[in-house]
Amino acid sequence: MHIAILTFEGYNELDSLIALGVLNRVRTDDWRVTIATPGPRVTSMNGVVIERMSTLEEACAADAVIVGSGIATREVVEDPAIMNILGSLDPSRQLIAAQCSGALVLARLGLLNGIPACTDLITKPWVVAAGVEVLNQPFYARGGIATAGGCLASHYLAAWIIARLKGHDAAEGALHYVAPVGEKEEYVKRAWRNITPYLPAPAPALR
C-alpha cells in the first residue's frame, strides 16, 4: 500500500512530518509512505528543505493521500499545472485526507461538495468562501474523505488512515508509540474519541 503526503513549497513541517512519522510506525513490507512534491525539493515555511520521494502523479494513484498544509496553499490552488494533476484524486478508489489548509485544495477540487470540513483558523474564511461548512472540531470524516484542523491534529489523520487500511490494533500501536510518556493511555483514548465516530462500523460476526 502506498500512502502519499502532498507537500508543497512553504509547507508546514508539523503537518507533513508528524503524519509521516506516525504512518511509518506500520512496519510491513507492503506499506510505503512518501512525501510527494511538485518538484525535486520543497522548502518549508521555516526553511527546512526536503527532497521528493514521489511525484504528484504517483500520489494520485496511491491507496491514500494526505494533502498537507502550508503558507502558500492559496497559490497552489491557483496553479493550473498542479490542480490539473490533482484532479485525478478519487475518493471512490482511495482515501483522501487534508490537513489544515489542505482542505482548501479539496474544496477547490470539488471533493467537499456537501461535506463539512475541519481546518485551521487562518484558513477557515477561505474554505467558507469556497462554499464549505467549517466545523469547530479537530477531525471529521465521511466515507473516504477526512479533514483535520490544527497542526497537532495531524496524528488523527494518520491514525484514521492506518485504521482504515490496517485495522484498529495497528493504529493504536502507532498512536501509543508517539504518545508522551506518562500520558499514553489518555492520549490514545482522546484520539479514538475523535476518530471512532468516523470509522466504518465493524462487520457483524458470522454465526
Side-chain angles (χ1 to χ4, degrees):
M1 292 180 180
H2 178 202
I3 300 87
I5 303 170
L6 304 188
T7 304
F8 305 104
E9 194 68 22
Y11 73 93
N12 185 317
E13 304 93 337
L14 295 176
D15 293 342
S16 288
L17 300 182
I18 288 177
L20 179 76
V22 176
L23 287 164
N24 271 315
R25 295 319 308 164
V26 176
R27 303 291 192 184
T28 58
D29 292 339
D30 65 342
W31 188 262
R32 180 169 71 104
V33 185
T34 66
I35 297 290
T37 64
R41 59 188 58 83
V42 289
T43 303
S44 78
M45 58 193 295
N46 294 306
V48 178
V49 180
I50 55 175
E51 296 189 352
R52 177 170 61 194
M53 299 170 68
S54 64
T55 65
L56 297 185
E57 290 86 353
E58 289 171 322
C60 288
D63 299 283
V65 178
I66 294 177
V67 182
S69 185
I71 59 174
T73 305
R74 284 188 292 178
E75 287 81 356
V76 169
V77 298
E78 297 300 334
D79 187 326
I82 291 176
M83 296 301 283
N84 285 341
I85 294 171
L86 300 185
S88 63
L89 290 172
D90 184 354
S92 71
R93 61 175 175 80
Q94 59 191 163
L95 300 178
I96 300 175
Q99 176 66 40
C100 289
S101 65
L104 181 61
V105 176
L106 298 192
R108 291 291 289 271
L109 290 171
L111 295 176
L112 294 178
N113 290 342
I115 301 176
C118 301
T119 191
D120 63 278
L121 298 181
I122 293 174
T123 305
K124 179 179 177 178
W126 311 333
V127 177
V128 171
V132 176
E133 177 190 0
V134 173
L135 303 172
N136 184 32
Q137 60 190 62
F139 178 83
Y140 180 83
R142 182 183 295 177
I145 294 179
T147 53
C151 301
L152 295 182
S154 54
H155 66 291
Y156 294 154
L157 288 183
W160 176 78
I161 287 173
I162 296 172
R164 290 291 305 268
L165 297 180
K166 286 290 188 179
H168 181 283
D169 290 349
E172 182 157 326
L175 288 170
H176 189 272
Y177 182 90
V178 302
V181 171
E183 299 178 356
K184 289 186 180 293
E185 183 176 344
E186 174 189 354
Y187 189 94
V188 172
K189 282 183 177 179
R190 183 173 64 247
W192 283 124
R193 192 163 60 243
N194 284 289
I195 298 168
T196 300
Y198 309 109
L199 291 172
L206 296 177
R207 296 190 176 186

